């Protein structure tokens, strides 16, 4: 297994747009020829679009774009710009009247950062234009612009996160992941040590969100924080892309296996305060096993989650892993 660039996987384009002052952005993956897609949604409060289209029993076999956006449910408006761009390029499902682009989308809650700007159709369109260069930057870019982690007890103890990317090749099989980490919980390294998350009171180390939940449960302030966090002000979202040849029922299983990467790196995860969602798409014709591909997908998701916090820069008064003297 060797690490590769995400762009080494043929059959799609990726681009981002953001408003740094506004504290939000979006990232789009475009599939000009369409791609079988599955989704795994484990969080309790997803902000999403066209998810039912990915049901294996639904008629459409391919979709044309995945939008990852900030702005909570407001950010779903950016999909209109993606639709416009794809229609202009003639990309979509042929109906005999026009080609209708099939665009799925998921959003994180980043409304507490910057000037509270919401991604709109113009930003979605700009991300599509950026995809023509097929370049991606990690950290405080695209949908990761306003991402944060460690928010159980509110913004005082949270840390900056962002967008992470990782891809590998095993034989002819290539699998990559793009992840935006905006979790209520903490992010762990391969030794289960916290590398980003809720800070302690003096900001010199980590409080350990799970410890706070388990050991301090029942205290008045903690109960209040749990109720506040349950407002679904979080969510980790992403997409896995492979050149393996699969249909959308296979991709649904691969998405579920890939979500184990969230479980291994984020603690706690998939809570009612999160809307965790992960897409998986096939863009190639390499014969591959579903379980093997899903296992690799979980690994690249793990790495992308960690890169999301390790590449993030301090912003909006929120410290990042890079700025912690204890890291």
């Amino acid at each position: 297994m060797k690490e590769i660039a995400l762009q080494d996987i043929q059959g799609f384009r990726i681009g981002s747009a953001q408003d740094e002052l506004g504290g939000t952005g979006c990232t789009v993956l475009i599939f000009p020829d369409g791609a079988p897609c599955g989704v795994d949604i484990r969080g309790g409060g997803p902000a999403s679009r066209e998810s039912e289209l990915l049901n294996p029993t639904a008629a459409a076999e391919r979709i044309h774009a995945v939008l990852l956006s900030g702005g909570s449910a407001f950010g779903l408006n950016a999909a209109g710009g993606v639709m416009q761009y794809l229609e202009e390029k003639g990309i979509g499902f042929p109906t005999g009247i026009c080609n209708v682009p099939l665009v799925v989308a998921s959003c994180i809650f980043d409304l507490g950062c910057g000037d509270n700007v919401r991604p709109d159709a113009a930003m979605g369109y700009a991300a599509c234009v950026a995809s023509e260069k097929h370049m991606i930057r990690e950290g405080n870019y695209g949908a990761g612009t306003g991402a944060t982690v460690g928010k159980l007890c509110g913004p005082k103890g949270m840390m900056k996160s962002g967008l992470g990317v990782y891809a590998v090749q095993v034989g002819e099989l290539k699998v990559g992941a793009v992840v935006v980490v905006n979790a209520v919980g903490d992010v762990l390294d391969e030794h289960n040590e916290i590398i980003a998350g809720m800070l302690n009171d003096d900001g010199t180390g980590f409080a350990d969100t799970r410890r706070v939940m388990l050991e301090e449960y029942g205290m008045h302030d903690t109960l209040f924080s749990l109720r506040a966090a349950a407002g679904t002000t979080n969510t980790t979202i992403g997409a896995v892309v492979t050149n393996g040849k699969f249909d959308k029922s296979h991709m649904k299983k691969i998405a579920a296996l890939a979500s184990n990467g969230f479980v291994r790196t984020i603690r706690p995860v998939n809570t009612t305060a999160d809307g965790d969602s992960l897409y998986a798409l096939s863009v190639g014709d390499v014969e591959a096993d579903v379980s093997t591909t899903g296992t690799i997908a979980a690994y690249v998701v793990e790495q992308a989650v960690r890169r999301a916090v390790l590449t993030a820069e301090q912003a909006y008064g929120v410290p990042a892993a890079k700025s912690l003297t204890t890291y």
Side-chain angles (χ1 to χ4, degrees), residues 39-127:
V39 66
D40 187 59
I41 301 173
R42 299 190 186 184
S48 57
R49 165 195 163 110
E50 295 276 39
S51 298
E52 192 59 29
L53 191 68
L54 306 182
N55 189 314
T57 63
E61 291 297 326
R62 293 170 176 263
I63 59 96
H64 303 100
V66 174
L67 173 69
L68 308 175
S69 178
S72 188
F74 293 111
L76 294 173
N77 288 330
V82 179
M83 291 277 291
Q84 179 186 345
Y85 176 89
L86 295 178
E87 183 181 23
E88 291 175 0
K89 300 297 182 181
I91 298 172
F93 179 80
T95 66
I97 299 173
C98 64
N99 289 341
V100 178
L102 302 180
V103 179
V104 298
S106 287
C107 304
I108 67 167
F109 188 105
D110 56 3
L111 299 181
C113 285
D115 294 336
N116 217 23
V117 172
R118 278 84 157 159
D120 56 11
M123 187 179 289
Y125 191 95

Side-chain angles (χ1 to χ4, degrees), residues 4-327:
I4 60 173
L6 181 70
Q7 293 90 331
D8 287 346
I9 304 174
Q10 303 297 310
F12 82 104
R13 304 198 313 263
I14 187 168
S16 289
Q18 57 277 324
D19 183 327
E20 294 181 12
L21 292 177
T24 194
C26 57
T27 299
V28 66
L29 293 82
I30 294 177
F31 303 86
D33 297 324
C37 181
V39 66
D40 187 59
I41 301 173
R42 299 190 186 184
S48 57
R49 165 195 163 110
E50 295 276 39
S51 298
E52 192 59 29
L53 191 68
L54 306 182
N55 189 314
T57 63
E61 291 297 326
R62 293 170 176 263
I63 59 96
H64 303 100
V66 174
L67 173 69
L68 308 175
S69 178
S72 188
F74 293 111
L76 294 173
N77 288 330
V82 179
M83 291 277 291
Q84 179 186 345
Y85 176 89
L86 295 178
E87 183 181 23
E88 291 175 0
K89 300 297 182 181
I91 298 172
F93 179 80
T95 66
I97 299 173
C98 64
N99 289 341
V100 178
L102 302 180
V103 179
V104 298
S106 287
C107 304
I108 67 167
F109 188 105
D110 56 3
L111 299 181
C113 285
D115 294 336
N116 217 23
V117 172
R118 278 84 157 159
D120 56 11
M123 187 179 289
Y125 191 95
C128 292
V129 172
S131 78
E132 295 171 5
K133 296 182 179 179
H134 199 31
M135 296 176 61
I136 189 69
R137 298 183 71 176
E138 297 178 285
N140 303 21
Y141 295 94
T145 302
T148 50
V149 295
K151 293 171 279 186
L152 179 69
C153 292
K156 180 181 178 181
M158 70 185 185
M159 287 182 63
K160 189 69 182 71
S161 181
L163 182 147
V165 177
Y166 197 81
V168 300
Q169 180 173 352
V170 182
E172 295 184 353
L173 182 65
K174 300 176 182 179
V175 185
V178 181
V179 177
V180 183
V181 182
N182 191 58
V184 69
D186 306 321
V187 175
L188 313 176
D189 66 13
E190 62 272 20
H191 304 296
N192 288 325
E193 298 292 332
I194 300 172
I195 54 176
M198 184 167 65
L199 297 170
N200 57 22
D201 289 342
D202 61 11
T204 60
F206 300 110
D208 189 336
T209 299
R210 184 177 67 174
R211 181 197 65 78
V212 173
M213 291 181 71
L214 299 182
E215 295 183 11
E216 299 182 18
Y217 182 79
M219 295 175 62
H220 174 76
D221 289 345
T222 303
L223 283 176
F224 178 81
S225 297
L226 285 168
R227 294 191 188 102
T232 62
T233 56
N234 308 286
T235 295
T236 297
I237 57 177
V240 167
V241 181
T242 179
N243 68 345
K245 183 180 180 181
F246 300 104
D247 62 25
K248 70 174 183 176
S249 62
H250 293 142
M251 294 316 300
K252 182 173 180 61
K253 180 60 177 176
I254 290 172
L257 291 168
S259 288
N260 291 327
F262 288 170
V263 175
R264 294 169 190 156
T265 53
I266 303 171
R267 188 179 71 197
V269 69
N270 302 333
T271 72
T272 56
D274 295 287
D276 302 335
S277 305
L278 186 63
Y279 299 95
L281 303 103
S282 167
V283 292
D285 55 8
V286 174
E287 297 293 337
D289 173 70
V290 169
S291 295
T292 301
T293 304
T295 299
I296 298 170
Y299 173 74
V300 296
V301 167
E302 285 183 58
Q303 301 305 317
V305 168
R306 292 175 182 132
R307 289 190 62 81
V309 296
L310 293 179
T311 59
E313 302 283 350
Q314 179 171 322
Y316 314 111
V318 181
K322 286 183 176 182
S323 59
L324 278 189
T325 56
T326 54
Y327 179 72

